[in-house]
Amino acid sequence: MTMPSVTAATEVASVVGYDLVGSATLSPVLAAAEGTTSSSSGLLAWVAIGAFLGALLLAHQGYREPARYLGAGAWIAFGVFWLTMVPYYYGEAQSPLKTILGLLALPLCLYTGYLLWAGRDSLLILTKAVACMGLIYLPVETIPFVKTWLIETTAAQTHFGMELLGHSPGLIEGSNGYVSKFDFDPDETVTGRTTYIVLACTGIGSMAIFGGLIAAVSAPLKRKVTAFALAVGVIWFLNLVRNVFIGLASPWGWFQQDWLVSFMTTYMGAEASRVSFLVAHNYIAQSLSIVALVGITYLVVKILPEILKPLEEALFVLTGTEYDLFEALAPTEAPARTDGGSDGNPADSDREQTDPGRER
């Protein structure tokens, strides 16, 4: 989360911005992930996605070895990108979960790159999924009118949700330049703070994850469209619920209990008036978002079991163990898996040659 005057560049790392109502003090943070070449982090993101796409193109043309090397380099760049986000997650956002994930991302990406370089061509399907995620997210982030529409529409819908619960603060322009700030009166609220909507509040990050997984696999278009529509619909609804929850918890001090304020200020370095925001956003909302992603994945798998293929590869990277998720989770009415998991990826036809230890 960021102060109201924080640059929009931090939006990708946030869910709901927070404000000291009436404040207009600049709070500089990382300019990462805004997609601008002026930011080393943003540039790394673009370089990684471009290299992912280049590796896939080489693999499609039959240049397997160059594809592996370029793909390995892309994974390294991707891991370094997440590492550059750690200072923001730890300092500005004060998010333990994102800080830990950012730290873990580098070794995991390095290991993925090593496995790909060593000949595990089946990882190209995971590479394709990540590349597709980037292609969905980065253009949305860097096309101004799309970004504005997405943020301000989400803010208006969140405000409507607040009205259903008896709160109507109104919307004004926040320090991020969008009409997305909830105009609570600081003299009437408990903490004197309010929140504003930023890009990640739209749920575009989660939508990009599922969009990338769905786009990466080969399946009938009707099932892919149905799965994507389901994922987007559920994410949109849950995201609005989360925004309303955080947007009300912060100004009205739902978690300003003395013992909690004392703990957060003494051991977590939090500002007293910010405790409700941090608890609602960094602990409750972020933890529940993981549960929600697992649930949405289960629903999507029921429609499109093909996405289990890149998920199997992700699990192998995490655990070093081969899994057959298709057999364990896919619906019995789905088409039988007869090709050892091939989804049309050019790397799959000779999987046994490049990964002889893999058994199903």
Side-chain angles (χ1 to χ4, degrees):
M1 293 306 104
T2 57
M3 290 296 289
S5 52
V6 79
T7 64
T10 62
E11 292 174 4
V12 71
S14 311
V15 179
V16 178
Y18 75 91
D19 245 339
L20 180 61
V21 180
S23 170
T25 305
L26 179 65
S27 177
V29 296
L30 285 173
E34 180 70 345
T36 60
T37 55
S38 61
S39 164
S40 58
S41 296
L43 179 59
L44 270 173
W46 280 109
V47 168
I49 297 303
F52 282 138
L53 294 173
L56 294 170
L57 180 60
L58 287 173
H60 182 72
Q61 296 296 323
Y63 300 106
R64 296 295 183 79
E65 191 168 355
R68 294 183 194 121
Y69 295 156
L70 182 57
W75 279 105
I76 293 172
F78 197 54
V80 173
F81 159 71
W82 286 113
L83 184 63
T84 65
M85 295 300 297
V86 169
Y88 167 74
Y89 293 151
Y90 179 79
E92 289 288 338
Q94 294 184 351
S95 172
L97 177 61
K98 288 187 176 182
T99 300
I100 292 172
L101 292 177
L103 289 171
L104 290 176
L106 180 60
L108 288 175
C109 287
L110 289 175
Y111 183 53
T112 304
Y114 165 75
L115 290 174
L116 184 58
W117 173 81
R120 189 179 176 91
D121 285 359
S122 55
L123 277 170
L124 286 173
I125 188 64
L126 184 59
T127 300
K128 184 178 180 181
V130 174
C132 290
M133 293 173 197
L135 285 179
I136 294 171
Y137 186 84
L138 291 178
V140 170
E141 182 186 86
T142 54
I143 299 175
F145 79 90
V146 175
K147 187 174 184 178
T148 299
W149 177 84
L150 216 52
I151 290 174
E152 294 187 352
T153 298
T154 301
Q157 293 173 344
T158 302
H159 188 271
F160 176 73
M162 291 180 176
E163 289 182 319
L164 294 178
L165 297 178
H167 300 272
S168 185
L171 283 170
I172 60 174
E173 182 176 317
S175 55
N176 59 355
Y178 305 103
V179 182
S180 65
K181 176 181 173 181
F182 304 111
D183 192 23
F184 285 100
D185 186 337
D187 295 326
E188 296 181 358
T189 59
V190 174
T191 64
R193 291 189 181 272
T194 188
T195 57
Y196 62 89
I197 299 296
V198 295
L199 182 60
C201 301
T202 65
I204 185 61
S206 297
M207 293 177 190
I209 290 174
F210 285 98
L213 289 171
I214 292 168
V217 301
S218 294
L221 181 59
K222 182 178 180 180
R223 285 200 288 118
K224 294 180 76 168
V225 170
T226 302
F228 183 70
L230 172 67
V232 168
V234 174
I235 291 170
W236 169 81
F237 174 75
L238 294 179
N239 199 61
L240 287 180
V241 172
R242 178 189 61 180
N243 289 343
V244 171
F245 168 63
I246 298 172
L248 293 178
S250 179
W252 295 112
W254 290 357
F255 302 101
Q256 292 297 125
Q257 289 79 13
D258 291 342
W259 69 270
L260 191 53
V261 171
S262 176
F263 176 82
M264 293 288 289
T265 55
T266 302
Y267 300 103
M268 307 299 292
E271 297 175 47
S273 61
R274 198 184 175 201
V275 167
S276 283
F277 170 80
L278 291 174
V279 172
H281 172 262
N282 288 3
Y283 295 92
I284 297 177
Q286 286 186 4
S287 298
L288 290 178
S289 68
I290 296 176
V291 177
L293 286 175
V294 172
I296 296 168
T297 301
Y298 178 78
L299 294 176
V300 171
V301 164
K302 290 297 183 180
I303 300 171
L304 193 70
E306 287 85 352
I307 70 163
L308 292 173
K309 173 74 179 306
L311 295 180
E312 287 177 349
E313 292 302 318
L315 280 175
F316 178 81
V317 172
L318 289 171
T319 67
T321 302
E322 304 286 3
Y323 292 91
D324 193 336
L325 297 179
F326 189 92
E327 180 179 344
L329 300 177
T332 55
E333 64 269 19
R337 187 172 186 167
T338 59
D339 60 353
S342 175
D343 64 290
N345 189 305
D348 291 320
S349 59
D350 66 343
R351 165 179 282 178
E352 296 305 322
Q353 285 69 33
T354 60
D355 190 18
R358 183 182 179 100
E359 298 178 357
R360 290 199 175 278

